[in-house]
Amino acid sequence: MSKTKKRLLFICLGNICRSPAAEGVMRHLVEDAGRSDDFLIDSAGIGNWHVGELPDYRMRQRGARRGYRFDSRARQFCAEDFDRFDLILVMDSQNRRDVLRKKRTDDDAQKVKMLTDFCVNFRGAESVPDPYYGSDADFDHALDLIEDACARLLETL
Ligand code: 4NP
Protein backbone atom coordinates (compact mmCIF):
# COMPACT_ATOMS: atom_id res chain seq x y z
CA MET A 1 0.00 0.00 0.00
CA SER A 2 1.64 3.19 -1.15
CA LYS A 3 -1.21 5.54 -0.32
CA THR A 4 0.02 8.80 1.15
CA LYS A 5 -1.09 9.57 4.67
CA LYS A 6 -3.14 12.65 5.41
CA ARG A 7 -1.21 14.64 7.98
CA LEU A 8 -3.29 16.72 10.39
CA LEU A 9 -2.00 19.12 13.05
CA PHE A 10 -4.32 20.67 15.65
CA ILE A 11 -3.22 23.95 17.23
CA CYS A 12 -4.25 25.89 20.34
CA LEU A 13 -2.49 28.29 22.70
CA GLY A 14 -1.10 25.98 25.38
CA ASN A 15 -1.44 22.50 23.77
CA ILE A 16 -2.88 21.16 27.02
CA CYS A 17 -6.65 21.67 26.60
CA ARG A 18 -8.24 22.10 23.17
CA SER A 19 -5.72 20.80 20.65
CA PRO A 20 -4.75 17.58 22.48
CA ALA A 21 -8.49 16.94 22.85
CA ALA A 22 -9.00 17.47 19.10
CA GLU A 23 -6.05 15.17 18.41
CA GLY A 24 -7.56 12.47 20.64
CA VAL A 25 -11.10 12.83 19.28
CA MET A 26 -9.87 12.73 15.68
CA ARG A 27 -7.71 9.68 16.35
CA HIS A 28 -10.69 7.94 17.95
CA LEU A 29 -12.93 8.73 14.95
CA VAL A 30 -10.30 7.57 12.50
CA GLU A 31 -9.81 4.32 14.43
CA ASP A 32 -13.57 3.71 14.56
CA ALA A 33 -13.69 4.22 10.80
CA GLY A 34 -10.89 1.65 10.35
CA ARG A 35 -8.75 4.33 8.68
CA SER A 36 -5.85 4.66 11.14
CA ASP A 37 -3.26 3.77 8.51
CA ASP A 38 -4.37 6.69 6.33
CA PHE A 39 -3.69 9.40 8.91
CA LEU A 40 -0.93 11.04 10.89
CA ILE A 41 -2.47 13.15 13.67
CA ASP A 42 -0.67 15.49 16.06
CA SER A 43 -1.17 18.69 18.04
CA ALA A 44 0.99 21.62 19.13
CA GLY A 45 0.74 24.92 21.00
CA ILE A 46 1.59 28.50 20.17
CA GLY A 47 3.28 28.96 23.56
CA ASN A 48 6.01 26.90 25.21
CA TRP A 49 4.83 27.10 28.82
CA HIS A 50 3.58 23.53 29.04
CA VAL A 51 6.05 21.70 26.78
CA GLY A 52 6.37 18.05 27.83
CA GLU A 53 3.21 18.06 29.93
CA LEU A 54 0.18 15.80 29.64
CA PRO A 55 -3.13 17.53 28.85
CA ASP A 56 -4.81 19.47 31.66
CA TYR A 57 -6.43 17.04 34.15
CA ARG A 58 -9.84 18.66 33.61
CA MET A 59 -9.77 17.98 29.87
CA ARG A 60 -8.52 14.45 30.48
CA GLN A 61 -11.36 13.92 32.96
CA ARG A 62 -14.10 15.39 30.76
CA GLY A 63 -12.78 13.43 27.79
CA ALA A 64 -12.66 10.16 29.76
CA ARG A 65 -16.38 10.54 30.49
CA ARG A 66 -16.93 10.35 26.72
CA GLY A 67 -14.58 7.42 26.23
CA TYR A 68 -11.47 9.30 25.11
CA ARG A 69 -7.94 9.03 26.39
CA PHE A 70 -5.94 12.24 25.95
CA ASP A 71 -2.33 11.40 26.68
CA SER A 72 -0.17 13.33 24.22
CA ARG A 73 2.71 15.50 25.47
CA ALA A 74 2.66 19.23 24.78
CA ARG A 75 5.04 20.72 22.26
CA GLN A 76 5.40 24.10 20.59
CA PHE A 77 4.41 24.85 16.99
CA CYS A 78 7.29 25.71 14.66
CA ALA A 79 7.65 26.75 11.00
CA GLU A 80 8.81 23.24 10.00
CA ASP A 81 5.33 22.01 10.89
CA PHE A 82 4.21 23.55 7.60
CA ASP A 83 6.39 20.92 5.88
CA ARG A 84 5.32 18.04 8.10
CA PHE A 85 1.54 18.52 7.81
CA ASP A 86 -1.07 18.96 5.08
CA LEU A 87 -3.71 20.63 7.21
CA ILE A 88 -3.21 22.87 10.25
CA LEU A 89 -6.42 23.27 12.23
CA VAL A 90 -6.54 26.19 14.66
CA MET A 91 -9.00 26.76 17.51
CA ASP A 92 -9.43 30.53 17.30
CA SER A 93 -8.48 33.58 15.29
CA GLN A 94 -5.58 34.50 17.58
CA ASN A 95 -4.12 31.02 16.95
CA ARG A 96 -4.55 31.64 13.24
CA ARG A 97 -2.69 34.96 13.40
CA ASP A 98 0.11 33.40 15.46
CA VAL A 99 0.48 30.44 13.09
CA LEU A 100 0.37 32.61 9.98
CA ARG A 101 3.11 34.81 11.40
CA LYS A 102 5.43 31.83 10.86
CA LYS A 103 4.39 31.10 7.26
CA ARG A 104 7.07 31.19 4.59
CA THR A 105 4.97 30.75 1.45
CA ASP A 106 1.39 31.04 0.23
CA ASP A 107 1.26 27.22 0.26
CA ASP A 108 1.97 27.34 4.00
CA ALA A 109 -0.90 29.77 4.54
CA GLN A 110 -3.32 27.62 2.51
CA LYS A 111 -2.86 24.78 4.98
CA VAL A 112 -4.29 26.76 7.89
CA LYS A 113 -8.03 26.33 8.61
CA MET A 114 -10.33 27.14 11.51
CA LEU A 115 -11.53 23.87 13.06
CA THR A 116 -14.99 25.38 13.61
CA ASP A 117 -15.39 25.87 9.84
CA PHE A 118 -16.20 22.14 9.85
CA CYS A 119 -18.95 22.40 12.48
CA VAL A 120 -22.37 21.09 11.46
CA ASN A 121 -24.48 21.10 14.64
CA PHE A 122 -22.64 24.22 15.81
CA ARG A 123 -22.60 25.75 12.37
CA GLY A 124 -21.59 29.41 12.59
CA ALA A 125 -19.37 28.90 15.66
CA GLU A 126 -16.35 31.14 15.22
CA SER A 127 -13.93 29.49 17.61
CA VAL A 128 -13.41 26.74 20.14
CA PRO A 129 -13.23 29.05 23.19
CA ASP A 130 -10.32 28.58 25.57
CA PRO A 131 -11.67 26.67 28.62
CA TYR A 132 -8.45 27.03 30.69
CA TYR A 133 -9.89 29.61 33.11
CA GLY A 134 -13.40 28.17 32.87
CA SER A 135 -15.63 25.52 34.43
CA ASP A 136 -16.38 21.89 33.61
CA ALA A 137 -19.17 23.20 31.37
CA ASP A 138 -16.61 25.16 29.35
CA PHE A 139 -14.51 22.02 28.87
CA ASP A 140 -17.64 20.10 27.83
CA HIS A 141 -18.58 22.84 25.38
CA ALA A 142 -15.09 22.75 23.84
CA LEU A 143 -15.48 18.96 23.45
CA ASP A 144 -18.93 19.37 21.87
CA LEU A 145 -17.50 21.72 19.25
CA ILE A 146 -14.45 19.53 18.66
CA GLU A 147 -16.53 16.34 18.23
CA ASP A 148 -18.88 18.09 15.82
CA ALA A 149 -16.08 19.55 13.69
CA CYS A 150 -13.89 16.44 13.66
CA ALA A 151 -16.76 14.22 12.50
CA ARG A 152 -17.32 16.49 9.50
CA LEU A 153 -13.60 16.94 8.90
CA LEU A 154 -13.19 13.17 8.60
CA GLU A 155 -15.99 13.04 6.01
CA THR A 156 -14.10 15.54 3.87
CA LEU A 157 -10.82 13.59 3.90
P1 4NP B 1 -5.33 25.55 25.43
O1 4NP B 1 -5.64 26.26 26.84
O2 4NP B 1 -4.80 26.64 24.52
O3 4NP B 1 -6.66 25.03 24.99
O4 4NP B 1 -4.30 24.47 25.72
C1 4NP B 1 -4.66 26.98 27.52
C2 4NP B 1 -3.79 26.33 28.35
C3 4NP B 1 -2.84 27.04 29.06
C4 4NP B 1 -2.78 28.40 28.93
C5 4NP B 1 -3.66 29.05 28.08
C6 4NP B 1 -4.61 28.35 27.39
N1 4NP B 1 -1.84 29.14 29.67
O5 4NP B 1 -1.86 30.38 29.61
O6 4NP B 1 -1.00 28.55 30.37
Side-chain angles (χ1 to χ4, degrees):
M1 284 225 296
S2 62
K3 209 164 128 192
T4 329
K5 282 181 194 269
K6 295 171 207 310
R7 304 167 302 169
L8 313 180
L9 181 65
F10 294 95
I11 298 289
C12 64
L13 181 57
N15 195 209
I16 54 167
C17 297
R18 294 164 293 172
S19 63
E23 175 188 347
V25 166
M26 193 67 191
R27 187 167 289 128
H28 191 99
L29 288 169
V30 160
E31 279 169 12
D32 276 358
R35 298 179 61 193
S36 295
D37 290 348
D38 300 345
F39 287 86
L40 193 155
I41 302 168
D42 194 10
S43 66
I46 301 298
N48 66 358
W49 317 288
H50 299 285
V51 167
E53 293 177 18
L54 284 169
D56 186 284
Y57 72 96
R58 295 164 295 175
M59 187 54 99
R60 301 184 76 201
Q61 209 169 60
R62 302 319 286 176
R65 288 167 63 103
R66 301 182 188 211
Y68 302 114
R69 199 162 114 182
F70 302 143
D71 58 3
S72 55
R73 294 281 175 172
R75 72 169 179 91
Q76 189 173 26
F77 175 75
C78 61
E80 291 70 35
D81 284 320
F82 285 115
D83 301 323
R84 298 187 193 117
F85 295 93
D86 305 306
L87 204 47
I88 297 176
L89 296 138
V90 299
M91 301 296 144
D92 59 40
S93 54
Q94 184 61 51
N95 296 162
R96 182 168 54 193
R97 280 192 291 276
D98 290 336
V99 165
L100 288 176
R101 225 192 304 279
K102 290 200 158 65
K103 82 176 166 73
R104 301 144 313 169
T105 63
D106 284 347
D107 277 354
D108 285 355
Q110 292 300 319
K111 295 183 174 189
V112 183
K113 312 264 187 235
M114 292 287 287
L115 181 62
T116 46
D117 284 353
F118 294 90
C119 280
V120 176
N121 300 326
F122 290 92
R123 193 176 173 160
E126 290 183 352
S127 71
V128 179
D130 187 350
Y132 190 61
Y133 295 103
S135 65
D136 280 351
D138 297 306
F139 280 85
D140 285 332
H141 180 57
L143 280 171
D144 288 340
L145 289 160
I146 288 166
E147 286 182 329
D148 184 26
C150 286
R152 174 68 192 139
L153 173 62
L154 179 57
E155 286 176 0
T156 69
L157 296 170

Coordinates of all heavy atoms in Angstrom, one line a residue, residues 12-18 49-50 130-133, ligand 1:
C12 N -3.6 24.9 19.4 CA -4.2 25.9 20.3 C -3.1 26.7 21.0 O -2.0 26.6 20.6 CB -5.2 25.2 21.3 SG -4.4 24.1 22.5
L13 N -3.5 27.4 22.1 CA -2.5 28.3 22.7 C -1.5 27.5 23.5 O -0.3 27.6 23.3 CB -3.2 29.3 23.6 CG -2.3 30.3 24.3 CD1 -1.4 31.1 23.3 CD2 -3.2 31.3 25.1
G14 N -2.0 26.7 24.4 CA -1.1 26.0 25.4 C -0.8 24.5 25.0 O 0.1 23.9 25.6
N15 N -1.5 23.9 24.1 CA -1.4 22.5 23.8 C -1.7 21.6 25.0 O -1.1 20.5 25.1 CB -0.1 22.2 23.1 CG 0.0 20.8 22.4 OD1 1.0 20.2 22.3 ND2 -1.2 20.3 21.9
I16 N -2.5 22.1 25.9 CA -2.9 21.2 27.0 C -4.4 21.0 27.2 O -4.8 20.2 28.0 CB -2.3 21.6 28.4 CG1 -2.6 23.0 28.7 CG2 -0.8 21.3 28.4 CD1 -2.3 23.4 30.2
C17 N -5.2 21.8 26.5 CA -6.6 21.7 26.6 C -7.3 21.3 25.3 O -7.6 20.2 25.0 CB -7.3 22.9 27.2 SG -6.7 23.4 28.8
R18 N -7.4 22.3 24.4 CA -8.2 22.1 23.2 C -7.6 21.2 22.1 O -8.2 20.3 21.6 CB -8.6 23.5 22.6 CG -9.5 24.3 23.4 CD -9.6 25.7 23.0 NE -8.3 26.4 23.2 CZ -8.0 27.6 22.8 NH1 -8.9 28.3 22.1 NH2 -6.8 28.2 23.1
W49 N 4.9 27.2 27.4 CA 4.8 27.1 28.8 C 4.6 25.7 29.3 O 5.0 25.3 30.4 CB 3.7 27.9 29.4 CG 3.5 29.3 28.7 CD1 4.4 30.4 28.9 CD2 2.6 29.7 27.8 NE1 4.0 31.4 28.2 CE2 2.9 31.0 27.4 CE3 1.5 29.1 27.2 CZ2 2.1 31.8 26.5 CZ3 0.7 29.8 26.2 CH2 1.1 31.1 25.9
H50 N 4.0 24.9 28.5 CA 3.6 23.5 29.0 C 4.3 22.4 28.3 O 3.9 21.2 28.4 CB 2.1 23.4 28.9 CG 1.3 24.4 29.8 ND1 1.2 24.3 31.1 CD2 0.7 25.5 29.4 CE1 0.5 25.3 31.6 NE2 0.2 26.1 30.5
D130 N -11.3 29.1 24.6 CA -10.3 28.6 25.6 C -11.0 28.3 26.9 O -11.5 29.2 27.6 CB -9.2 29.7 25.7 CG -8.1 29.2 26.6 OD1 -8.2 28.1 27.2 OD2 -7.1 29.9 26.6
P131 N -11.0 27.0 27.4 CA -11.7 26.7 28.6 C -10.7 26.8 29.8 O -11.2 26.5 31.0 CB -12.1 25.2 28.4 CG -10.9 24.7 27.6 CD -10.5 25.8 26.7
Y132 N -9.5 27.2 29.6 CA -8.4 27.0 30.7 C -8.9 27.7 32.0 O -8.6 27.2 33.1 CB -7.1 27.6 30.2 CG -5.9 27.3 31.1 CD1 -5.5 26.0 31.3 CD2 -5.2 28.4 31.6 CE1 -4.4 25.8 32.1 CE2 -4.1 28.2 32.4 CZ -3.7 26.9 32.7 OH -2.6 26.6 33.5
Y133 N -9.5 28.9 31.9 CA -9.9 29.6 33.1 C -11.4 29.4 33.4 O -12.0 30.1 34.2 CB -9.6 31.1 33.0 CG -8.1 31.3 32.9 CD1 -7.4 31.6 31.7 CD2 -7.3 31.2 34.1 CE1 -6.1 31.8 31.6 CE2 -5.9 31.4 34.0 CZ -5.3 31.7 32.8 OH -3.9 31.9 32.8
Ligands
4NP1 P1 -5.3 25.6 25.4 O1 -5.6 26.3 26.8 O2 -4.8 26.6 24.5 O3 -6.7 25.0 25.0 O4 -4.3 24.5 25.7 C1 -4.7 27.0 27.5 C2 -3.8 26.3 28.4 C3 -2.8 27.0 29.1 C4 -2.8 28.4 28.9 C5 -3.7 29.1 28.1 C6 -4.6 28.3 27.4 N1 -1.8 29.1 29.7 O5 -1.9 30.4 29.6 O6 -1.0 28.6 30.4

